[in-house]
Amino acid sequence: MPPQRVDRNAVFLNIPYDTEFQSLYLAYLVGLYPLGHEPYIASGIPGGKRRLSRILSLIRFCRYSIHDLSRVELSPHGLGTPRFNMPLELGMTITWAEINEESHMWFVMESTPRRLDQSTSDLAGTDPNVHFGTVEGVFSELRNAFVAKDAPPVPRMMEAYRIVESEVELILTNAGTRNLYAASVFKEICLLALKAARYTAGTGI
């Protein structure tokens, strides 16, 4: 595999793409910018490359990755099967990080304390960042994962979140879609999240 540039501020988000997760998805996008990082998701990359190839490229490109395993429960629809996408992508990441220790660092997020010991016992000894399924929890755990002396307080991050949340409907309408994870929508939300982070920090918008 040829060498690839690593962006030391880039963070790959391994998350579920569904309606129920949207508030936490927005929280990740809003919360990373004031901590000096830029989020990336697989669906945010346009083109026909197959999904796993795009994910591997992102893992190689990003210095960090966040793997949210809070939605490993059985699906309420269809055959009621568990979600394996997030654990699969975490496994790919762990392999890459083991081979390239200086190039990648990964974090596991969860909503329920100690559930990781049962759902993914091979990760015993890994301390997940538990956000309890709340926006404030995501912000708090992002601050714990990416420790920075100038990290904004959670109330300021919540202010930025409210700015972004208030514009979501307009962004979706202008994009002609209800899919918050679509590539064009993701890009617009990221731009708005960056502006909101600057605005709430008092550095303009």
Side-chain angles (χ1 to χ4, degrees):
M1 188 174 290
Q4 179 171 317
R5 180 177 71 88
V6 175
D7 187 324
R8 303 194 68 79
N9 295 319
V11 181
F12 166 53
L13 293 176
N14 174 17
I15 57 175
Y17 297 163
D18 60 34
T19 303
E20 291 80 5
F21 196 80
Q22 287 183 355
S23 62
L24 299 189
Y25 164 63
L26 289 179
Y28 281 121
L29 301 190
V30 171
L32 283 168
Y33 281 107
L35 294 171
H37 296 284
E38 182 176 0
Y40 287 82
I41 61 173
S43 67
I45 302 176
K49 204 173 183 181
R50 74 187 187 103
R51 186 184 179 94
L52 276 182
S53 296
R54 284 184 289 172
I55 290 169
L56 184 55
S57 294
L58 278 180
I59 293 170
R60 296 173 62 204
F61 173 74
C62 297
R63 175 67 180 89
Y64 304 97
S65 61
I66 291 173
H67 305 265
D68 195 306
L69 302 187
S70 62
R71 300 294 300 282
V72 296
E73 74 278 4
L74 295 180
S75 168
H77 309 294
L79 299 176
T81 53
R83 297 183 174 203
F84 290 136
N85 282 343
M86 281 71 72
L88 171 63
E89 292 165 26
L90 173 57
M92 293 166 58
T93 303
I94 292 173
T95 301
W96 176 252
E98 284 292 314
I99 298 171
N100 303 272
E101 291 185 46
E102 303 302 317
S103 298
H104 196 87
M105 179 180 293
W106 50 273
F107 303 95
V108 174
M109 296 282 186
E110 246 287 9
S111 60
T112 305
R114 295 180 293 278
R115 182 167 62 176
L116 190 67
D117 293 337
Q118 298 180 43
S119 66
T120 320
S121 59
D122 281 351
L123 287 176
T126 299
D127 293 323
N129 295 84
V130 182
H131 55 57
F132 296 99
T134 68
V135 171
E136 294 92 337
V138 167
F139 291 152
S140 179
E141 293 311 311
L142 286 176
R143 283 166 48 92
N144 288 331
F146 302 101
V147 178
K149 64 179 181 180
D150 57 347
V154 170
R156 187 197 299 171
M157 298 169 89
M158 283 299 303
E159 183 182 352
Y161 177 87
R162 285 189 286 270
I163 292 172
V164 173
E165 185 183 38
S166 69
E167 297 293 326
V168 165
E169 281 302 317
L170 179 59
I171 290 173
L172 289 172
T173 298
N174 288 341
T177 181
R178 300 305 302 170
N179 180 9
L180 203 62
Y181 306 94
S184 64
V185 175
F186 169 74
K187 182 178 180 180
E188 287 196 54
I189 292 175
C190 285
L191 289 173
L192 181 57
L194 177 58
K195 290 180 180 179
R198 291 172 175 169
Y199 175 76
T200 55
T203 57
I205 190 162

